Amino acid sequence: MGDEVAGTGFTREDRQRYREKVRQNLDVFERMLRTHAFPAEKRLTGMEIELNLVDAQMQPAMKNASILEAIADPDYQTELGQYNIELNVPPRALPGDAPRQLEEDLRASLNEAERRAREHDVRICAIGILPTLMPEHFDADWMSANNRYLALNESIVNARGEDIFIDIQGMTGERLATYADTIAPESACTSVQLHLQVEPMQFADYWNAAQAVAGLQLAMGANSPYFYGRRLWAETRVELFAQATDTRAVELKNQGVRPRVWFGERWITSIFDLFEENVRYFPALLPECSEEDPVAVLDEGGAPALQELRLHNGTIYRWNRPIYDVVDGQPHLRVENRVLPAGPSIVDTLANSAFYFGLMDRLTADERPVWTRMSFAAAYANFTECARRGIEAEVYWPGYGTVTAVELVQRHLVPLAYDGLAHRGVAHDVAARYLGIIEERCRREVNGASWQIACVEELERKGADRRTALAGMLERYLEHMGDNAPVHTW
């Protein structure tokens, strides 16, 4: 969710000053892109994992403050809902056996966090949407004690001017149609965010490549088929997140006003394109200004924080988001990939990451990049199709036409990912461990979503009602997750 804010109420003067400051930030950022160095020699990668808390009955546990106190690790932080926490993974390079070491570090960290949570009768679950979450769980106090969340909730609801309508039609006829008077449903959407540090001249290629493969990431990694007890999309989180944070009334949608959760509308030529779109199209949700004079900082040879530009960017939820940040006085740029749901296991998470990072390396090195041979509309159609159907999706790809996602990944994308990881210095046995999991998902046509659906259907055939089946499935899910077994073996 980004940086904290001091207040929750904003005046007209606040909004006017903020708009002026954001535009000044944008001018300074454009100047920096022409004149400033953005170190990216180490090609660092980073990761954030959003997690759910559940009780012994597999219901959401609204206890994140006490659980974070028990875990006592600064890498774990609060998230929007009191049943959510987030694990921030320090950035690192990929060569050698670094991914395998990351897997071991993550397992050790989560195992210790789980041990401490269990002392409070709470379990930690990595899953795209907690399947046992129901409307009544939001009747009481559900939001984390954080000014940013409160201010964001008020800004979104006030901007919309009416309750938020959630309307999702499932692939088998089940439908969810409900109203919410807060952004509570957004808290259900828990994801893994992958960060890749790049240089300014490389950014457009990496962002375009990430957009091109976003659908395939969902096909392989979908893990959110249930919400409020209904079976909806394979990756329901995509549509739920879009609707739960939508500031547009129906009339504004009909006028073509752009949504805050946005795939985009074109291939780009510079990172500046994305920040300029942010300023042009989106009104502020959190118009809080800092005291920084970015022009003076830049003129003195420093790297301005550009706090207003960054805060504004943090309230526009692109599936591949541009990031400007300053660390130890040095500015840098990142592509933040927000496509993947959390889970199912840590080894699955590393497999999804290896697939993405390997593809980024090779697709950006192609003499005829895929985005020059494919319309942006086709990339968006792939994204929506894969969110709906997951492992069963069909997609369009240049040179292949319309093809099943599993065939495209097996025949073309996995070999590219192997080459990309090798180029980045990842040991072959390490690459094989993770990309082999992607290959097996394709061969067996199993990912987190398909496993959840099959398990629930089996329990229902044995006589369980839907809520009981969801709780039973989640209990089995946690057992497999704790064993760190890849989902295709469950």
Side-chain angles (χ1 to χ4, degrees):
M1 298 294 290
D3 296 329
E4 178 61 283
V5 296
T8 59
F10 302 101
T11 66
R12 288 175 294 177
E13 290 77 12
D14 290 334
R15 294 183 181 280
Q16 182 174 343
R17 180 169 178 248
Y18 185 82
R19 178 182 285 113
E20 294 169 355
K21 194 76 179 289
V22 167
R23 289 175 175 172
Q24 181 192 47
N25 279 191
L26 185 65
D27 290 341
V28 170
F29 183 59
E30 182 179 28
R31 180 178 158 195
M32 291 181 70
L33 291 174
R34 295 195 311 266
T35 64
H36 229 70
F38 289 80
E41 295 86 358
K42 295 182 179 180
R43 304 284 298 279
L44 295 179
T45 62
M47 182 185 298
E48 302 168 63
I49 305 175
E50 295 171 348
L51 303 160
N52 293 281
L53 305 176
V54 297
D55 62 21
Q57 287 73 46
M58 300 294 110
Q59 304 303 304
M62 305 292 183
K63 296 183 175 181
N64 66 359
S66 61
I67 297 304
L68 287 171
E69 184 178 357
I71 293 173
D73 183 337
D75 288 343
Y76 290 84
Q77 298 193 11
T78 187
E79 258 295 336
L80 176 58
Q82 290 191 34
Y83 63 98
N84 306 137
I85 60 174
E86 180 177 87
L87 170 58
N88 295 293
V89 183
R92 63 182 71 195
L94 285 181
D97 66 350
R100 187 61 186 268
Q101 184 60 53
L102 174 58
E103 179 188 344
E104 294 176 4
D105 292 347
L106 286 175
R107 287 200 68 199
S109 176
L110 280 170
N111 287 344
E112 178 61 16
E114 171 79 359
R115 184 187 69 79
R116 297 190 181 194
R118 283 193 182 224
E119 294 174 355
H120 296 258
D121 299 319
V122 169
R123 303 285 302 277
I124 296 176
C125 180
I127 195 167
I129 293 178
L130 190 63
T132 54
L133 189 67
M134 298 295 169
E136 59 265 27
H137 293 125
F138 296 124
D139 289 344
D141 188 17
W142 64 271
M143 188 186 297
S144 296
N146 184 300
N147 276 343
R148 181 185 173 95
Y149 304 144
L150 180 60
L152 191 63
N153 177 71
E154 291 183 358
S155 293
I156 288 175
V157 173
N158 290 340
R160 188 181 176 92
E162 60 190 47
D163 286 352
I164 297 168
F165 185 44
I166 306 294
D167 186 7
I168 306 175
Q169 179 72 47
M171 302 306 295
T172 60
E174 296 187 40
R175 180 187 178 195
L176 175 67
T178 186
Y179 284 92
D181 59 4
T182 70
I183 61 170
E186 191 273 331
S187 68
C189 305
T190 44
S191 64
V192 169
Q193 292 131 43
L194 304 176
H195 292 254
L196 182 60
Q197 186 177 353
V198 297
E199 296 174 356
M201 294 298 293
Q202 300 174 314
F203 187 94
D205 286 351
Y206 275 89
W207 188 85
N208 289 338
Q211 292 287 97
V213 301
L216 282 306
Q217 287 183 275
L218 289 178
M220 295 298 103
N223 195 30
S224 312
Y226 294 100
F227 180 59
Y228 280 1
R230 292 172 175 82
R231 176 183 167 185
L232 302 171
W233 293 12
E235 190 51 37
T236 303
R237 174 183 133 268
V238 164
E239 185 64 8
L240 178 60
F241 189 38
Q243 294 189 24
T245 57
D246 200 342
T247 57
R248 304 169 303 165
V250 172
E251 294 80 7
L252 293 180
K253 294 180 186 179
N254 293 338
Q255 293 175 37
V257 173
R258 293 158 180 84
R260 307 293 296 205
V261 176
W262 198 29
F263 187 80
E265 59 190 15
R266 58 173 176 150
W267 306 118
I268 64 169
T269 59
S270 167
I271 187 175
F272 185 80
D273 294 347
L274 301 178
F275 281 103
E276 194 271 338
E277 285 179 349
N278 289 355
V279 176
R280 176 184 295 182
Y281 297 138
F282 298 99
L285 290 181
L286 303 174
E288 182 170 280
C289 289
S290 71
E291 297 301 319
E292 179 186 68
D293 180 345
V295 175
V297 173
L298 187 60
D299 286 344
E300 293 169 4
L306 304 183
Q307 178 66 14
E308 292 78 16
L309 191 70
R310 292 167 55 218
L311 182 60
H312 189 49
N313 185 51
T315 63
I316 299 159
Y317 306 102
R318 298 177 186 270
W319 294 107
N320 286 291
R321 178 190 276 167
I323 300 291
Y324 166 85
D325 205 355
V326 180
V327 178
D328 298 328
Q330 291 289 330
H332 70 262
L333 306 176
R334 305 194 302 271
V335 178
E336 181 190 27
N337 179 263
R338 303 163 51 82
V339 171
L340 290 165
S345 64
I346 289 301
V347 71
D348 282 315
T349 299
L350 268 293
N352 293 337
S353 304
F355 181 59
Y356 170 75
F357 288 129
L359 281 178
M360 289 302 95
D361 187 277
R362 290 298 83 193
L363 291 177
T364 55
D366 198 329
E367 291 184 359
R368 292 189 63 215
V370 63
W371 58 91
T372 67
R373 298 177 286 127
M374 176 183 188
S375 71
F376 195 87
Y380 180 57
N382 286 349
F383 182 76
T384 303
E385 163 76 359
C386 292
R388 285 182 172 142
R389 298 182 58 195
I391 202 82
E392 298 177 352
E394 293 185 349
V395 297
Y396 169 79
W397 198 261
Y400 289 81
T402 300
V403 63
T404 65
V406 294
E407 181 181 356
L408 178 65
V409 169
Q410 280 184 305
R411 289 177 54 190
H412 181 54
L413 298 184
V414 164
L416 279 181
Y418 268 108
D419 288 347
L421 293 179
H423 184 254
R424 298 195 65 169
V426 176
H428 179 73
D429 62 323
V430 175
R433 171 174 174 78
Y434 300 119
L435 295 180
I437 289 172
I438 302 296
E439 291 176 300
E440 283 300 304
R441 287 188 207 161
C442 291
R443 189 174 70 83
R444 304 188 192 195
E445 297 192 10
V446 173
N447 61 9
S450 65
W451 181 88
Q452 287 190 51
I453 291 166
C455 186
V456 167
E457 289 180 344
E458 179 184 359
L459 292 171
E460 288 179 329
R461 282 194 300 268
K462 292 178 178 178
D465 61 26
R466 176 60 62 82
R467 290 196 179 207
T468 303
L470 289 170
M473 178 271 287
L474 186 58
E475 189 169 14
R476 290 163 175 77
Y477 182 104
L478 286 174
E479 292 173 1
H480 292 302
M481 176 188 152
D483 293 337
N484 196 37
V487 70
H488 69 265
T489 67
W490 291 9

